Amino acid sequence: AHIRGVEGLDDFSDDLNRGRRAALRASELDPTLDLPPASLAYGLMVEGRFAESEKLFLRALALNPNSTYALANYAEMISSQGRLAEAIALRQKCLDLDPVGFTNLLALTQIHIQAQRFDEALRFNDRATAVLPADIYIPNRGYQAKILLALGRKAEAVAVARMIRQRFDLEPRWQSDSVAVWVLREAGFESEAADYAAELLKKLPRASYQRGFVLSALGRFEEALPFLERT
């Protein structure tokens, strides 16, 4: 469900319902387990039920303060609400528990981008690359392109954006393609960005909210909004 959701693909309500039933059953069998309430909290987060989700994340962490699953997903929820300092602290605790955890390094990159702390974001992006090469994991490249442009390193950002376009065979992609379109457009390569976006819009399912990110990258915000409202 999580991967399909991030990629903007099929409805995954059936997955969430199956997961919810399994988590509730696990809690019945052993109320001391931290993973079931954390899993239930994640499902509520996806549904936008943030207050209920937070209560369950806190319950999971009361059962196991070192649950990296609960810490990471709780951080994801509160960062989406703009509580960036708290999210960074939670992710830092995950990093202390697992110093080479790739997804956590990637998340720290993302949160520092949100906080516009681009030097720190690049540091975590480089650490993630050291764990798993960036040319293999395209989302890492998307973050890299965005950071480099923000730091004024335009030529490097454009090179990364072009690499993302060339390696369309690699998955997952998250929002990397729309970031690459935006980088090219911001760097003055408007025709190249438009061609890239046209390719993406042909490939993406008509209902995919990824279309909203691509349209936003082109500055077509009114067209993008109906797709983004479904994220």
Side-chain angles (χ1 to χ4, degrees), residues 208-219:
S208 173
Y209 69 66
Q210 291 281 5
R211 299 177 76 88
F213 289 111
V214 176
L215 292 166
S216 294
L218 294 172

Side-chain angles (χ1 to χ4, degrees), residues 168 177-178 181 196-204 211 214:
F168 207 80
D177 290 297
S178 54
V181 169
Y196 187 0
E199 290 175 11
L200 293 169
L201 292 172
K202 284 181 183 178
K203 293 175 181 177
L204 287 168
R211 299 177 76 88
V214 176

Side-chain angles (χ1 to χ4, degrees), residues 37 41 50-61 74 77:
F50 298 123
E52 297 168 80
S53 175
E54 184 158 16
K55 288 179 182 177
L56 282 172
F57 275 130
L58 292 175
R59 184 187 301 172
L61 289 169
Y74 184 33
M77 189 197 78

Side-chain angles (χ1 to χ4, degrees), residues 71-131:
L71 288 165
N73 287 295
Y74 184 33
E76 182 177 344
M77 189 197 78
I78 63 176
S79 69
S80 74
Q81 298 178 304
R83 294 160 59 183
L84 301 183
E86 294 173 73
I88 288 170
L90 289 169
R91 284 288 183 179
Q92 185 60 54
K93 184 172 181 179
C94 285
L95 191 64
D96 293 341
L97 293 165
D98 182 10
V100 294
F102 177 77
T103 56
N104 196 52
L105 290 166
L106 206 62
L108 279 162
T109 300
Q110 181 185 28
I111 295 172
H112 281 90
I113 291 172
Q114 286 178 262
Q116 298 187 23
R117 296 168 59 178
F118 296 110
D119 287 317
E120 281 292 287
L122 187 60
R123 183 169 68 85
F124 284 113
N125 188 258
D126 287 342
R127 286 181 64 178
T129 301
V131 175

Side-chain angles (χ1 to χ4, degrees), residues 21-41:
R21 288 193 297 269
L24 288 169
R25 179 61 178 148
S27 285
E28 289 174 5
L29 293 170
D30 187 349
T32 67
L33 293 174
D34 58 275
L35 188 56
S39 299
L40 290 167

Side-chain angles (χ1 to χ4, degrees), residues 130-198:
V131 175
L132 188 67
D135 58 347
I136 293 174
Y137 202 77
I138 290 296
N140 199 32
R141 280 292 205 175
Y143 291 143
Q144 185 184 36
K146 184 183 289 189
I147 295 164
L148 290 169
L149 190 67
L151 291 173
R153 295 161 61 174
K154 185 168 73 173
E156 293 171 83
V158 167
V160 175
R162 287 172 174 160
M163 178 271 181
I164 293 170
R165 184 182 185 185
Q166 290 165 0
R167 294 306 311 271
F168 207 80
D169 57 307
L170 296 175
E171 293 182 350
R173 305 192 69 78
W174 299 5
Q175 284 80 54
S176 302
D177 290 297
S178 54
V179 168
V181 169
W182 174 77
V183 165
L184 290 168
R185 181 169 171 262
E186 288 291 305
F189 299 95
E190 294 188 10
S191 177
E192 187 177 351
D195 289 345
Y196 187 0

